[in-house]
Amino acid sequence: MSGSSPTPASPSSAVPSLWAATAPSAPPTRTLAGETRADLVVIGAGVTGLSTALHAAEAGLTVTVVEAEDAGFGGSGRNNGQVIPTLAKPDPSDLVAKWGEAGERLARMVGESAALVFDVIDRHAIACEAVQHGWLQPAHRPSRLTVSQKRHREWTARGLECRLVDRAETAALTGSDYWAGGLLCPTGGHVNPLALTRGLARAAQKAGATLYTASPVTGIDRRGSDWRVATPGGAVTARAVVIATSAYGQGVWPALERSIVPVRNFQMSTQPLPPEVLAKVIPADVAISDTHGDLYFFRKTADGRLVSGCTLTSRTSDPTEAKARVIARILEVFPQAGRQTIDYCWHGQLDFTPDFHPRFYSLEPGIFAAIGYNGRGLALGVAVGRELARAAAGTPFSQLALPDGGKPRPLPFHGLITGVAPLMMHWWRHKDGRD
């Protein structure tokens, strides 16, 4: 490397949250200063970017990661921490209808993704409060059991370990008789997502990757057969680039940014529950996200809190309505818990696509991107990162578990759509009350 020496990055810019209050500290990093070279430069130090860096470094590539804030600053460190081996809406048949054989490969990768997460956690001894007691998608109405049945048929056909549970077993798992039954995937579970992301950063560094934080990308330019990724203090030149910025990539690749709809989502935690109450709320310690369009989701933490959240019908940052809605949901689903006090509340951006399918791109020769996880980015991000590392090493998309989406298509009237997207929650709430 030439130029001035890199300087230590600024203190953590992690959003105030339960995860930030309880996760191990971020690994030491520096701000990029001067010019450097690598085989691969990864833009974004979230789950996808760091999984890419880790797997690429383990494969022998020299890897540099540049991040505008800190590892896990975006959605990777702000989500509910559920490790889910399915997608938000599409089932395997939908993936096959859209992408053919590539859709089959993607479905199998998704079905294996939760197991991969816990394998990575074990192999790299990542301290992230990992609990692999399963992920449960319960049906909030008896008619929604058809969703469970269809998912069971399709995902088991692709090798995913899952089974149907009836109302009684669902009540035993959750401590609630709110749901009518559902689908249980034993490979799923939950983690502290910020701790997982920081652990991936440490693992990537140990494997040989270099991580620069407080280093936002200001431009990407071709240099012969290579690409130069510039930041305010320097630049990285590499033959391959992976863009993994989710809904936080403002200005990095505008067409990519305008191909998704960012939606603000609130997360929050209760105070630790009394032991006598804790034993009766989600006694199986599964992760729960049900069949509501206006999703009901719950999980417990290592110190006995209940973590949930919601999406509002406006883009407000004021948590008052979100807190009231979640407190009411907890009373509705877990009346034995009583009225809870929220002691942490935070929000972040989800990257949605109009058809709820994720997107994978070869933007230019040597530049790859993944976006549009639709709220299922934790397990999916780790698995996608492994595939993007293979792409960066020269494996063609036809041999990856990722369908090549071609070029991103900016949504028409993107600003207008982004502004009114939260209003779709009214439609989902309307549908949730009907068969």
Side-chain angles (χ1 to χ4, degrees):
M1 182 175 69
S2 61
S4 59
S5 299
T7 56
S10 59
S12 174
S13 59
V15 63
S17 69
L18 173 65
W19 310 138
T22 56
S25 61
T29 59
R30 292 182 176 273
T31 299
L32 178 61
E35 299 279 339
T36 187
R37 292 191 62 87
D39 295 325
L40 166 65
V41 56
V42 178
I43 303 172
V47 167
T48 299
L50 292 169
S51 176
T52 302
L54 171 60
H55 287 97
E58 289 180 329
L61 276 64
T62 56
V63 182
T64 296
V65 182
V66 289
E67 161 62 42
E69 299 285 348
D70 286 321
F73 172 83
S76 293
R78 305 188 192 203
N79 63 80
N80 194 254
Q82 297 199 22
V83 183
I84 301 174
T86 69
L87 298 176
K89 298 291 183 184
D91 286 325
S93 60
D94 302 306
L95 302 180
V96 174
K98 187 176 183 68
W99 286 306
E101 176 55 33
E104 286 282 6
R105 297 195 301 272
L106 176 61
R108 287 187 170 84
M109 184 200 77
V110 171
E112 297 169 355
S113 61
L116 174 64
V117 171
F118 290 103
D119 177 64
V120 169
I121 290 169
D122 288 344
R123 285 194 291 112
H124 296 282
I126 297 175
C128 59
E129 301 177 9
V131 174
Q132 194 178 15
H133 290 173
W135 168 71
L136 177 67
Q137 185 179 43
H140 74 281
R141 296 171 66 86
S143 60
R144 297 296 174 93
L145 286 171
T146 57
V147 175
S148 307
Q149 293 159 358
K150 179 176 182 290
R151 294 204 134 188
H152 178 259
R153 287 194 306 271
E154 294 205 20
W155 287 102
T156 54
R158 275 79 181 179
L160 173 61
E161 180 186 358
C162 60
R163 62 185 179 87
L164 295 170
V165 293
D166 61 15
R167 180 183 287 275
E169 186 173 2
T170 300
L173 292 167
T174 65
S176 173
D177 60 4
Y178 179 82
W179 292 289
L183 180 70
L184 176 66
C185 299
T187 60
H190 55 81
V191 299
N192 177 324
L194 181 59
L196 171 62
T197 308
R198 289 175 173 177
L200 288 172
R202 287 189 184 87
Q205 288 176 324
K206 187 175 180 180
T210 301
L211 173 58
Y212 294 108
T213 56
S215 301
V217 170
T218 57
I220 304 174
D221 300 299
R222 190 189 296 274
R223 294 296 169 95
S225 59
D226 294 333
W227 294 95
R228 182 178 183 270
V229 176
T231 71
V236 185
T237 300
R239 59 181 176 80
V241 179
V242 166
I243 301 175
T245 52
S246 186
Y248 290 82
Q250 290 82 358
V252 172
W253 198 276
L256 195 65
E257 180 184 345
R258 295 196 300 270
S259 71
I260 56 98
V261 179
V263 174
R264 179 168 292 149
N265 178 257
F266 283 87
Q267 301 286 335
M268 60 199 75
S269 75
T270 67
Q271 294 180 338
L273 303 177
E276 64 275 13
V277 174
L278 187 65
K280 299 176 182 178
V281 175
I282 322 182
D285 207 5
V286 294
I288 302 169
S289 45
D290 73 3
T291 55
H292 278 95
D294 182 10
L295 193 65
Y296 282 34
F297 53 95
F298 307 93
R299 46 75 54 100
K300 293 197 295 189
T301 64
D303 61 350
R305 303 168 189 268
L306 193 60
V307 184
S308 186
C310 67
T311 300
L312 302 180
T313 58
S314 68
R315 292 183 57 79
T316 179
S317 297
D318 183 354
T320 303
E321 180 186 347
K323 287 182 179 180
R325 184 171 292 276
V326 168
I327 289 170
R329 284 182 182 178
I330 293 172
L331 275 173
E332 179 184 14
V333 177
F334 302 108
Q336 69 271 34
R339 179 170 291 275
Q340 289 297 313
T341 298
I342 302 299
D343 60 356
Y344 288 94
C345 182
W346 64 99
H347 63 78
Q349 299 279 53
L350 302 176
D351 52 338
F352 278 88
T353 57
D355 61 1
F356 291 93
H357 286 73
R359 301 286 196 268
F360 314 104
Y361 297 111
S362 176
L363 298 170
E364 296 286 349
I367 301 186
F368 309 97
I371 202 167
Y373 291 171
N374 296 278
R376 291 289 172 85
L378 207 55
L380 185 60
V382 172
V384 168
R386 181 182 62 180
E387 295 299 295
L388 290 174
R390 295 178 62 208
T395 302
F397 258 77
S398 61
Q399 297 177 30
L400 301 178
L402 308 179
D404 188 350
K407 303 297 182 184
R409 298 180 180 179
L411 297 172
F413 309 106
H414 181 262
L416 176 63
I417 292 173
T418 297
V420 303
L423 297 177
M424 282 297 296
M425 195 55 61
H426 289 298
W427 170 243
W428 289 115
R429 291 173 186 169
H430 171 79
K431 289 184 66 177
D432 284 339
R434 288 159 177 77
D435 293 336

